Amino acid sequence: MLPVPPILRHWLGPFAAFFTKPTWDRVLVLVTGAVLAPGWRTVTAVLSVLGRRNRMDFARFHGVLNRARWSGRSLARALLRWLVAVFVPDGPVVVGIDETIERRWGPKISARGIYRDPVRSSHGHFVKASGLRWISVMLLVHIAWAGRIWGLPFLTTLAPSERFARQAGRRHKPLADWGRQLLLLASRWLPGRRVIAVADTTYAVIELLAAVRHRLTMVTRLRLDARLFDPPPPHRPGARGRRRVTGQRQPTLVQRLADPASRWRRVVVSQWYGDSRRELDILTGTAVWDHPGRRVPVRWVLVRDVVGDPDPQAFLCTDLEADALGPLGNAGGGTSCAGSSGAGRSR
């Protein structure tokens, strides 16, 4: 039987306090086997690679996952703080949130559902996948020896489908609600640090942005046909009627693309999807993103590829004073677009 390496005990030492002594010894065995096991990292495969498959305490290792009492939330908080201390000791903390499908087909897996396969699907080809849908929050850090940014997951939760909730007699929780809870939890675990969350279109929801914008900065995509308005004008003393919630309607991003008077800025970005350099034109401004009954102030950024992808992309940020170039400013040498002097004016 292979022993647990002493270096692994040292690395995982900060998490020992969250388990009882017998459970912690089994956790070390499971982690060691997970590192060594090829293919599926099931409990059976983990114990087999360590030579423990035929021992009498085989079932006790399964009990670590389905019987032992330990808090995954407490472990996630400790893991996040440990990762931040090692990789991001100062400055803003950038996290990403996304879903992943764990392909499972067992009849006893009650939360299994049918979802779109994000890896095999494309814009014109839809592929379904059967399994469990997990939402993962990860720390995004630049790994020097890898030469790229890695996502280091620290918090994951199961997000069942609406069909499963209906069959189980439970209230279905949309992905935006899960994202709001997870992001607010991550920001609460890092008091005094600025947190920037990066997400895809799934989390471009006004309610989510409005709920988290006072605790963290949210960066996600924006529809090109989004309804954008100026901020409401100051309320005049003695004026009758309700206060206005939005100002004048701004041009849509599609209209700004077609407007020859738009003031585009040319920037050069390195490490663009594996390419060495890529030239982009950017246009930015501030607005109130409004949907009937819901609204949130955002900074929008319109991006178009100079020589490559003909489809422009739009992004938003809940920090109105943010630099549109962000970390790309140093790489591309572009002009900062932070500090726009007025809503609706683009730089």
Side-chain angles (χ1 to χ4, degrees), residues 293-309:
R294 298 166 292 176
R295 60 198 58 85
V296 62
V298 298
R299 169 169 289 279
W300 55 266
V301 180
L302 194 56
V303 180
R304 66 181 184 186
D305 197 344
V306 177
V307 295
D309 189 356

Side-chain angles (χ1 to χ4, degrees), residues 7-346:
I7 186 63
L8 189 60
R9 292 181 178 271
H10 174 70
W11 285 346
L12 298 180
F15 306 103
F18 299 99
F19 302 91
T20 63
K21 181 61 169 62
T23 301
W24 176 243
D25 292 337
R26 299 185 185 101
V27 168
L28 292 175
V29 173
L30 292 176
V31 173
T32 304
V35 174
L36 300 175
W40 291 92
R41 290 176 175 83
T42 61
V43 175
T44 301
V46 164
L47 296 180
S48 296
V49 77
L50 295 177
R52 295 173 176 257
R53 182 171 183 173
N54 297 323
R55 290 192 56 173
M56 298 298 293
D57 61 348
F58 181 87
R60 294 185 179 273
F61 288 91
H62 285 273
V64 173
L65 302 177
N66 59 19
R67 291 183 179 274
R69 295 184 177 181
W70 49 273
S71 173
R73 186 180 302 176
S74 299
L75 284 173
R77 178 178 56 189
L79 177 59
L80 172 61
R81 291 178 175 177
W82 182 77
L83 291 173
V84 169
V86 172
F87 293 103
V88 198
D90 51 26
V93 178
V94 182
V95 300
I97 182 171
D98 201 3
E99 315 93 61
T100 184
I101 306 298
E102 180 187 6
R103 293 170 178 81
R104 302 292 293 273
W105 300 273
K108 295 185 178 181
I109 305 176
S110 58
R112 179 172 57 92
I114 305 297
Y115 306 99
R116 176 183 178 272
D117 191 329
V119 177
R120 301 176 182 177
S121 299
S122 62
H123 291 290
H125 185 59
F126 185 86
V127 179
K128 296 181 180 179
S130 174
L132 301 175
R133 181 175 59 184
W134 299 88
I135 300 180
S136 180
V137 187
M138 62 209 80
L139 180 68
L140 302 180
V141 294
H142 182 267
I143 306 299
W145 57 267
R148 62 185 60 192
I149 294 177
W150 280 14
L152 307 178
F154 61 88
L155 178 61
T156 303
T157 187
L158 181 64
S161 64
E162 184 176 1
R163 179 180 178 182
F164 168 76
R166 184 170 57 253
Q167 293 175 349
R170 303 177 183 175
R171 181 182 65 86
H172 173 63
K173 185 183 297 185
L175 292 178
D177 289 349
W178 282 112
R180 171 180 53 81
Q181 289 183 303
L182 295 176
L183 292 176
L184 290 178
L185 191 62
S187 66
R188 192 180 307 128
W189 290 345
L190 297 174
R193 298 295 299 270
R194 184 191 178 195
V195 179
I196 302 174
V198 182
D200 59 12
T201 313
T202 304
Y203 303 94
V205 181
I206 293 181
E207 294 89 346
L208 168 62
L209 301 177
V212 304
R213 72 184 188 91
H214 296 294
R215 299 287 300 275
L216 53 89
T217 299
M218 192 79 176
V219 178
T220 183
R221 290 182 179 269
L222 179 64
R223 293 172 57 98
L224 293 176
D225 58 351
R227 290 163 41 94
L228 303 178
F229 293 81
D230 289 342
H235 185 72
R236 294 178 300 174
R240 297 182 178 181
R242 299 175 56 185
R243 293 176 179 266
R244 296 186 59 179
V245 295
T246 59
Q248 184 178 358
R249 177 77 179 265
Q250 294 186 11
T252 65
L253 300 183
V254 175
Q255 294 172 335
R256 292 185 184 274
L257 283 169
D259 186 0
S262 297
R263 300 167 58 187
W264 295 88
R265 297 290 184 179
R266 180 69 53 85
V267 297
V268 179
V269 180
S270 60
Q271 298 182 356
W272 180 266
Y273 287 96
D275 295 340
S276 57
R277 295 167 64 87
R278 180 63 64 92
E279 288 188 339
L280 302 175
D281 286 338
I282 66 171
L283 186 70
T284 184
T286 58
V288 176
W289 182 20
D290 178 85
H291 191 75
R294 298 166 292 176
R295 60 198 58 85
V296 62
V298 298
R299 169 169 289 279
W300 55 266
V301 180
L302 194 56
V303 180
R304 66 181 184 186
D305 197 344
V306 177
V307 295
D309 189 356
D311 296 330
Q313 303 290 335
F315 304 88
L316 67 84
C317 177
T318 55
D319 183 2
L320 302 184
E321 302 299 326
D323 184 353
L325 298 177
L328 305 180
N330 295 332
T335 303
S336 170
C337 64
S340 180
S341 59
R345 297 182 58 188
S346 58

